Every structure is written in C-alpha cells, then in structure tokens.
Amino acid sequence: MSVTLHTDLGDLKLELYCDKPKKSCENFLALCASGYYNGCVFHRNIKGFIVQTGDKTNTGKGGESIWKQKYEDEIFDHIKHSKRGIVSMANAGPNTNQSQFFITYARAPQLDGKYTIIGHVIHELEVLDELEKLPVGDNHRPLKDVAIQSVTIHANPIADDVV
C-alpha cells in the first residue's frame, strides 16, 4: 500500500503499514481520499529531527480524525523510529491521535513507544532533504509556507475490505 504526497517541493511516496496500525492507517487513508490534507502546510520543521503537517488550520494546533474525535495509539515493539523517513501520527499525549503526522529526518529512538508509526518514505528522499533545508522562524515554523497540494492513493486495502 502506498500513497504519494504531492508537495510544493515535489513528491514524497510513502509505503503504509496497513497490516498493523489498522485504525491509524484507516484514518490516514480516509483523510487522504477525502482531500483533507490538500493545502496543509508543513508547520513544524526541526532539522535533524522531524517535519510535521496534517493540520487543516495550518497552526499546528488543529486537526481532526475521520471519527471527529481523538483515538488510541497503536504501538508495536517491532516497528521503530529507526531511520530517516519514518512516518508517524503526531499527538498531544497518549491516545490523542487525529490528523497530524510527522516524518523523521533521522533515527529517533526517543519517539518509540509514544507515537504510532504508519509507514515510511520509499521514494523522493531528495524532497525530504529540501524540506529539511527550509529556513525556520519561531516555533520551528518554516519562513515560507510549503504545502501538500494533493495526495494520490496507489492502492487502498482498507477500501478493498469494505467492498
């Protein structure tokens, strides 16, 4: 299962781990399919750590799951923040997942057990390089807005199960 995030800087293709964090992948894919992420800016960018997006308000304080409420973490011991390009749901503490997600710039073991990992970047790591180079201001917000323009879903096993 994969999706492509079409951003202002180019495309990021993600492989999703739909077999394990099923609820998180269902939420992420449904948000992708609905166009929810279109126009979302990368509102938090910490070089050597993560880049974050998925808040429709573009403030870093919003976001909504497909259930219109927060939902529980799906943590698996064998899935780790072990390399550059890991994609995880962002949260404000345990069991507060909604729509925001982040992509790691490097191995980040301090995040293991705290955030639901839903996949990893499989193509266009150069785009991740360009995101990491963006100059930032207060609260690690890029000085220039860079957004997700659209998302292409290449295969959706969640929808296949519903049909």
Side-chain angles (χ1 to χ4, degrees):
M1 170 67 218
S2 64
V3 301
T4 299
L5 306 178
H6 305 284
T7 78
D8 293 334
L9 294 178
D11 296 343
L12 283 169
K13 189 170 185 179
L14 315 178
E15 178 183 340
L16 301 178
Y17 307 146
C18 294
D19 59 327
K20 288 292 177 195
K22 290 184 179 185
K23 191 167 188 173
S24 293
C25 283
E26 177 184 0
N27 181 61
F28 184 78
L29 286 167
L31 292 172
C32 287
S34 72
Y36 182 91
Y37 289 125
N38 299 355
C40 285
V41 301
F42 292 91
H43 62 268
R44 186 172 178 223
N45 191 21
I46 304 172
K47 186 178 179 162
F49 186 46
I50 60 109
V51 64
Q52 187 168 328
T53 186
D55 168 19
K56 246 340 201 187
T57 70
N58 291 327
T59 63
K61 297 178 182 177
E64 187 171 68
S65 75
I66 59 172
W67 303 285
K68 309 293 185 211
Q69 62 187 11
K70 298 170 183 172
Y71 68 93
E72 67 277 2
D73 297 325
E74 297 174 281
I75 308 295
F76 298 93
D77 290 337
H78 66 284
I79 305 173
K80 307 275 188 198
H81 294 89
S82 58
K83 62 182 179 178
R84 181 177 183 80
I86 297 294
V87 182
S88 294
M89 297 306 295
N91 63 43
N95 303 311
T96 59
N97 299 289
Q98 294 191 84
S99 60
Q100 291 191 44
F101 64 96
F102 62 86
I103 304 171
T104 60
Y105 285 135
R107 186 175 169 273
Q110 70 273 29
L111 301 177
D112 293 342
K114 297 175 185 168
Y115 299 90
T116 299
I117 298 172
I118 61 170
H120 69 275
V121 177
I122 55 174
H123 288 295
E124 284 70 69
L125 282 167
E126 314 78 42
V127 175
L128 203 55
D129 295 342
E130 292 306 309
L131 282 167
E132 190 172 15
K133 291 177 191 174
L134 291 173
V136 298
D138 295 342
N139 298 318
H140 303 285
R141 186 178 180 94
L143 297 176
K144 174 187 166 199
D145 281 350
V146 174
I148 297 170
Q149 294 301 315
S150 63
V151 180
T152 299
I153 300 174
H154 301 288
N156 187 341
I158 305 295
D160 292 345
D161 288 345
V162 174
V163 176

